[in-house]
Structures are given as C-alpha cells and as structure tokens.
Amino acid sequence: MGNHGDSWMTAERTYFTSESVTEGHPDKVCDQISDAVLDAVLRLDPEAHVACETATTTGMILVFGEISTTSYVDIPAVVRETIEKIGYTHSQHGFDANTCGVIVAIKDQSPEILSGVAHAVEVRSGDEIDRFDLVGAGDQGMMIGFACNETPELMPLPISLAHGLCRRLSIARKSGEISWLLPDGKSGNGRIPPRKTRPRGHRGRIGATSDGCFERRDHADDHRVGGAAGHPRRPTGR
C-alpha cells in the first residue's frame, strides 16, 4: 500500500492476491486422503458418520478421528492408493506410497456428539415434535464468500488464475512435458484492484519441486505453463 497510515480502503494502490497449491502439497495431500476415506466409508455405508482428519510429516501419514459405521474399510490401503495417485512413488521424491508409515487412530463417535447429530433436542426431551425436529444438528460450520462476474466460474480472477496455473503445472508433470517435476507445487497471483482507474495488470508467481536433476533447470525457460487460466471474459469486458 502507500503510506503506513493508509488502510486497505483508502490507499491509492493495493494488491489483491490469491494462492493455490498442486495435489502434492502437504495440505492438499491430507485433504485428498480424508476425502478418500470418507468416500470409501460412504460407498459401503451411506448412513455412516465420519469425522476424519489427516496429518503428515516426512515419511508418515496419521489418520485420526471418529467414525461410526457398520462397514469395514482398509484405511492404510486407501491412504497408499491416494498417495500413489498423487505421484509420490519413490523414496527419492521424499515420500513413497509403498514404504511410508501409516498410523490409524480411529474410534467410534462419542455418544454426546451422536445424540446431537442424529436427533434434535425436542426428540430427546420427548416434547411435541414435527418432521423438522427429527433432523439433528449435523456437523455445522459457518462459511463466508461471494460470487462475482469476473470469470465464467464466478470466482475472483486472481484465484482462478492461480488454480489454472496449478492445473497446468500438474498436467505438465503427468504428461511428461516437464520430466523433472514432482507433485508439490504452488502458484500465486495478485492484481491492483481498481480505484479510480482500471486494474493495472497482474503479478504472478509459480514454484515447483524437482527430482534433483537441477541441470535440467537450465532448460526451464523452454517450457511454458502460462495461458492455463485464460478466460474468454475479462474484467474490463474487452
């Protein structure tokens, strides 16, 4: 921004930035494993209650939480299959789906949580109920957000560009177009929001892990991952 005393609303120039990560980023790895466990449980037991979390460090995955189900899921197998799909298949990558440690710490859902999730308080107290009281509270969360017309997907342009760059980076890795890429990567995109004038353009950055063959980076400029998030409709409409 401008002077130190300026706020975001009054500064003459500000940057609006957004960041995205590829499927091999540790945060995204954990998300995909938790999703895979949930999918595997619900595939066998649609009425299951699943509160599954995943944490990771070098060479290890920890899956923990509370699951109430009548089915059995081989969680370590789900974890390894997910990691293999991501692309971590060799110890030289820093993570190997076949040899990494997988720790599972799952227990049944507590009775206190189950009572609130499964049945409303009116049902539990025996009061007169209607059909809506038969629905429990569920696992509640509060989210905020907005839609805008900057892009076809109704997302702000910086985050759409960041996601597009990461998708293009992933395609370049999986197709072999850039052979030394590993699954972990990140991109960011920022722009100057309009005040009295139209946006002055964007600043982007992209980073990725390599297989250690750094001499190949001499040829990195031969590869282009740009153009991944181009949209037919631009903020200016031109």
Side-chain angles (χ1 to χ4, degrees), residues 49-71:
H49 292 168
V50 181
C52 176
E53 303 285 349
T54 303
T56 183
T57 186
T58 303
M60 188 187 77
I61 296 289
L62 170 63
V63 181
F64 59 99
E66 297 181 345
I67 298 179
S68 295
T69 179
T70 58
S71 65

Side-chain angles (χ1 to χ4, degrees), residues 60-126:
M60 188 187 77
I61 296 289
L62 170 63
V63 181
F64 59 99
E66 297 181 345
I67 298 179
S68 295
T69 179
T70 58
S71 65
Y72 170 77
V73 172
D74 188 348
I75 293 180
V78 172
V79 171
R80 297 188 189 280
E81 181 181 356
T82 303
I83 297 173
E84 184 177 4
K85 288 181 179 178
I86 291 171
Y88 287 121
T89 56
H90 198 286
S91 59
Q92 290 183 349
H93 298 167
F95 215 96
D96 186 348
N98 297 311
T99 61
C100 69
V102 179
I103 300 175
V104 179
I106 297 292
K107 63 177 183 178
D108 289 335
Q109 192 173 46
S110 68
E112 292 80 11
I113 295 178
L114 179 61
S115 65
V117 169
H119 305 290
V121 64
E122 291 82 3
V123 175
R124 300 196 304 272
S125 63

Side-chain angles (χ1 to χ4, degrees), residues 10-65:
T10 61
E12 292 184 2
R13 189 168 77 169
T14 59
Y15 287 99
F16 184 90
T17 62
S18 297
E19 183 179 89
S20 182
V21 297
T22 59
E23 65 265 51
H25 188 278
D27 294 346
K28 192 68 70 175
V29 169
C30 291
D31 289 342
Q32 291 171 93
I33 291 173
S34 294
D35 287 347
V37 172
L38 173 62
D39 290 343
V41 174
L42 293 181
R43 193 175 296 115
L44 299 175
D45 181 9
E47 301 298 323
H49 292 168
V50 181
C52 176
E53 303 285 349
T54 303
T56 183
T57 186
T58 303
M60 188 187 77
I61 296 289
L62 170 63
V63 181
F64 59 99

Side-chain angles (χ1 to χ4, degrees), residues 4 19 70 77 92 103 132 136 142 156 166 179 190 218:
H4 292 298
E19 183 179 89
T70 58
Q92 290 183 349
I103 300 175
F132 296 108
M142 296 181 64
C166 277
S179 60
D218 296 336

Side-chain angles (χ1 to χ4, degrees), residues 2 44 68 78 82 101 105 154 158 163 169 179 197 223 231:
L44 299 175
S68 295
V78 172
T82 303
L154 304 180
H163 286 334
L169 194 64
S179 60
T197 61
H223 301 286
H231 294 287

